[in-house]
């Protein structure tokens, strides 16, 4: 039986599902824009969504807000201002709470960045993916490399907390091309870089018509080069796909990986809420039209206690430094002793190490994360254990956001 002595931090994820064009590799809940965006209608629905969750979180404060998509930067600064104002009127934010908005280089300019900053956004995440026009074309991106550079410069004029997303293992990509991408990212001076390998996901164009991707060994070598380049540039590798300068880790995503709580609002959003005696998950209608038209909730369920260990490990073992032993019991309400046999098996396989304070993946465990996570999955029925938006692709059940 689950028994929590204290509730974990609480975050808010807001999903805006529209984009200009669906990328052929994308399996997120994103939909090509047709005509006018229903900004005011959608913000109003988001607030109804949030209000339905308020009784479950009375008295709690938000430690972070993440506005993802889709392409949230398609919404006007005025709409983002209305959204964040409405959120603050319903739920208090911790002082200095991180508020992130995802942006694509092809949908932003300096004036919009200033407007987002004035609305209360204090962290921007830019979907660069590559600085090579050939690679951007292969990925079906709507922007070019010069637009990406201009977007970073424009963001830097309004924000001091910026993430850029990069991908590697792209169709036709060589080691030299991957190296050039990560070196330019490091030179840009942004405080946070997310770098993840392209994988072919079901229900995408690339799945039905797969491009020729680099061999596995070459992709593994690209990953090593990315890690070494960013380390030499002063970035800390703290999660499977995340690198940050000191003090610039993503607070919102850390809350996912440390099995914190989050409210999910918007089309296709998922959430997790803890109570003293149970942990619940909720899910929203995926199609924007259905979300706007009817009841947004499609699932609310209590997570069975036997699913919690895998859900916790699926998230926490993404962290390069692992997790303190006490965190498992604090966040699941279960004793760590129930994992003893599986921890021993992972240790014997050289995938995991531990001492009296922490459990952490070894370098081998980081390289073979699916193998490590699979040890905790065997013999159990998986629950909805999410990645964070933008995270690298390992075993996935669903995401808190949009999948």
């Amino acid at each position: 039986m689950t028994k929590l002595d204290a509730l974990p931090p609480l975050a808010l994820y807001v999903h805006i599902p529209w984009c200009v064009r669906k990328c052929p590799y994308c399996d997120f809940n994103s939909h090509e824009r047709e005509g006018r965006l229903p900004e005011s209608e959608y913000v109003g629905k988001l607030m109804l969504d949030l209000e339905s969750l308020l009784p479950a979180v009375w008295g709690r404060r938000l430690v972070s807000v993440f506005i993802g998509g889709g392409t949230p930067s398609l919404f006007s600064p005025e709409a983002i201002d209305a959204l964040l104002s409405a959120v603050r009127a319903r739920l208090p934010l911790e002082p200095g709470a991180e508020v992130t908005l995802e942006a694509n280089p092809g949908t932003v300019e300096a004036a919009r960045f200033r407007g987002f900053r004035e609305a209360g956004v204090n962290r921007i995440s830019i979907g660069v993916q590559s600085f090579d026009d050939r690679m951007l074309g292969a990925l079906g991106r709507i922007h070019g490399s010069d637009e990406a550079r201009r977007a970073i410069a424009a963001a830097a004029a309004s924000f001091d907390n910026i993430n850029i997303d990069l991908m590697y293992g792209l169709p036709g990509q060589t080691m030299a091309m991957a190296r050039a991408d990560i070196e330019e990212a490091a030179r840009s001076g942004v405080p946070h870089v997310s770098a993840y390998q392209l994988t072919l996901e079901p229900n995408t164009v690339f799945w039905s018509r797969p491009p020729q991707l680099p061999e596995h060994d070459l992709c593994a070598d690209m990953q090593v080069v990315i890690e070494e380049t960013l380390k030499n540039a002063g970035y800390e590798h703290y999660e499977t796909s995340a690198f940050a300068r000191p003090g610039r880790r993503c607070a919102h995503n850390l809350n996912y990986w440390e099995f914190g709580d989050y409210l999910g609002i918007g089309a296709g959003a998922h959430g997790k809420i803890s109570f003293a005696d149970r942990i619940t998950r909720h899910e929203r209608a995926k199609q924007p039209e259905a979300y706007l038209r009817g009841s947004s909730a499609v699932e609310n369920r209590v997570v069975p206690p036997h699913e919690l260990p895998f859900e916790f490990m699926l998230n926490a073992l993404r962290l390069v430094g692992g997790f303190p032993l006490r965190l498992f019991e604090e966040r699941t309400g279960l004793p760590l002793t129930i994992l003893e046999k599986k921890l021993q098996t992972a240790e014997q396989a050289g995938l995991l190490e531990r001492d009296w304070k922490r459990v952490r993946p070894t370098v081998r465990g980081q390289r073979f994360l699916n193998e490590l996570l699979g040890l905790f999955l065997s013999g159990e029925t998986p629950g909805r254990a999410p990645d964070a938006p933008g995270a690298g692709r390992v075993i996935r059940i669903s995401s808190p956001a949009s999948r």
Side-chain angles (χ1 to χ4, degrees):
M1 176 178 175
T2 300
K3 183 178 183 302
L4 299 180
D5 293 330
L7 299 180
L10 177 69
L12 173 65
Y13 178 81
V14 183
H15 192 68
I16 296 179
W18 292 282
C19 56
V20 175
R21 184 172 67 203
K22 181 83 169 180
C23 295
Y25 59 86
C26 178
D27 68 332
F28 286 16
N29 184 36
S30 58
H31 304 262
E32 292 190 9
R33 175 184 62 186
E34 296 181 1
R36 181 188 70 87
L37 286 174
E39 291 185 340
S40 61
E41 299 95 324
Y42 195 72
V43 170
K45 186 66 174 182
L46 288 171
M47 289 309 100
L48 292 176
D49 212 353
L50 180 59
E51 287 169 359
S52 73
L53 296 168
L54 291 181
V57 294
W58 285 126
R60 300 177 67 179
R61 290 175 174 265
L62 295 174
V63 298
S64 63
V65 178
F66 195 106
I67 307 170
T71 306
S73 53
L74 286 174
F75 267 36
S76 66
E78 293 76 16
I80 299 300
D81 181 48
L83 166 63
L84 291 175
S85 296
V87 168
R88 288 190 292 265
R90 289 161 175 80
L91 267 178
L93 274 65
E94 291 284 0
E98 178 187 276
V99 181
T100 301
L101 181 130
E102 289 185 328
N104 279 343
T107 63
V108 292
E109 68 280 337
R112 289 177 75 84
F113 277 130
R114 287 194 297 270
F116 294 142
R117 186 70 183 88
E118 291 168 359
V121 175
N122 55 31
R123 183 177 183 270
I124 283 286
S125 180
I126 305 175
V128 171
Q129 314 311 353
S130 176
F131 292 100
D132 187 313
D133 285 329
R134 291 167 294 178
M135 295 297 94
L136 292 171
L139 290 173
R141 302 292 290 175
I142 65 169
H143 70 275
S145 57
D146 286 342
E147 283 180 292
R149 297 180 183 102
R150 286 195 296 270
I152 293 171
S158 297
F159 296 90
D160 64 358
N161 200 357
I162 301 168
N163 168 69
I164 59 174
D165 282 343
L166 287 181
M167 301 175 73
Y168 66 95
L170 308 180
Q173 190 176 41
T174 64
M175 176 61 79
M177 296 161 74
R179 187 188 300 274
D181 266 353
I182 201 62
E183 288 178 347
E184 181 158 356
R187 286 196 305 271
S188 73
V190 297
H192 196 284
V193 176
S194 298
Y196 48 94
Q197 183 180 343
L198 173 64
T199 56
L200 305 183
E201 303 293 345
N203 302 314
T204 66
V205 173
F206 275 4
W207 181 264
S208 58
R209 298 195 295 274
Q212 186 67 43
L213 301 181
E215 294 295 328
H216 174 78
D217 287 348
L218 177 56
C219 289
D221 291 341
M222 289 178 181
Q223 181 180 352
V224 172
V225 166
I226 288 168
E227 292 173 3
E228 291 177 347
T229 301
L230 291 175
K231 179 180 179 180
N232 293 336
Y235 292 84
E236 175 191 21
H237 183 199
Y238 71 98
E239 185 272 341
T240 300
S241 308
F243 304 79
R245 296 193 183 277
R248 294 298 193 176
R249 294 184 178 192
C250 178
H252 187 86
N253 287 351
L254 271 174
N255 189 52
Y256 292 136
W257 297 320
E258 293 176 347
F259 211 50
D261 282 354
Y262 51 94
L263 307 176
I265 62 174
H270 293 247
K272 166 184 173 282
I273 305 176
S274 298
F275 300 85
D277 61 348
R278 66 195 186 280
I279 294 173
T280 66
R281 290 200 176 276
H282 53 270
E283 179 182 346
R284 300 307 181 212
K286 193 171 184 179
Q287 293 296 323
E289 295 79 9
Y291 177 83
L292 283 166
R293 189 172 56 242
S295 173
S296 65
V298 296
E299 182 179 77
N300 290 284
R301 74 181 188 108
V302 175
V303 183
H306 75 267
E307 293 183 5
L308 292 173
F310 174 69
E311 291 206 7
F312 177 91
M313 300 301 274
L314 177 59
N315 288 280
L317 289 179
R318 297 181 65 93
L319 294 169
V320 173
F323 61 92
L325 294 175
R326 57 172 174 75
L327 191 67
F328 178 83
E329 186 166 338
E330 289 177 0
R331 298 293 162 86
T332 66
L334 304 171
L336 187 62
T337 53
I338 66 174
L339 288 178
E340 183 59 32
K341 289 184 179 179
K342 293 180 179 181
L343 290 171
Q344 288 181 6
T345 300
E347 279 187 293
Q348 292 166 1
L351 299 171
L352 187 136
E353 59 188 12
R354 54 178 168 157
D355 54 29
W356 62 280
K357 282 187 176 181
R358 299 189 71 84
V359 174
R360 63 180 65 82
T362 61
V363 173
R364 173 180 168 81
Q366 294 169 38
R367 294 284 184 263
F368 296 93
L369 188 55
N370 278 349
E371 181 181 337
L372 172 57
L373 294 173
L375 296 178
F376 296 93
L377 176 61
S378 60
E380 296 180 358
T381 302
R384 281 182 166 78
D387 293 324
R393 310 300 176 88
V394 295
I395 293 174
R396 297 187 317 164
I397 309 305
S398 70
S399 86
S402 56
R403 296 184 181 100

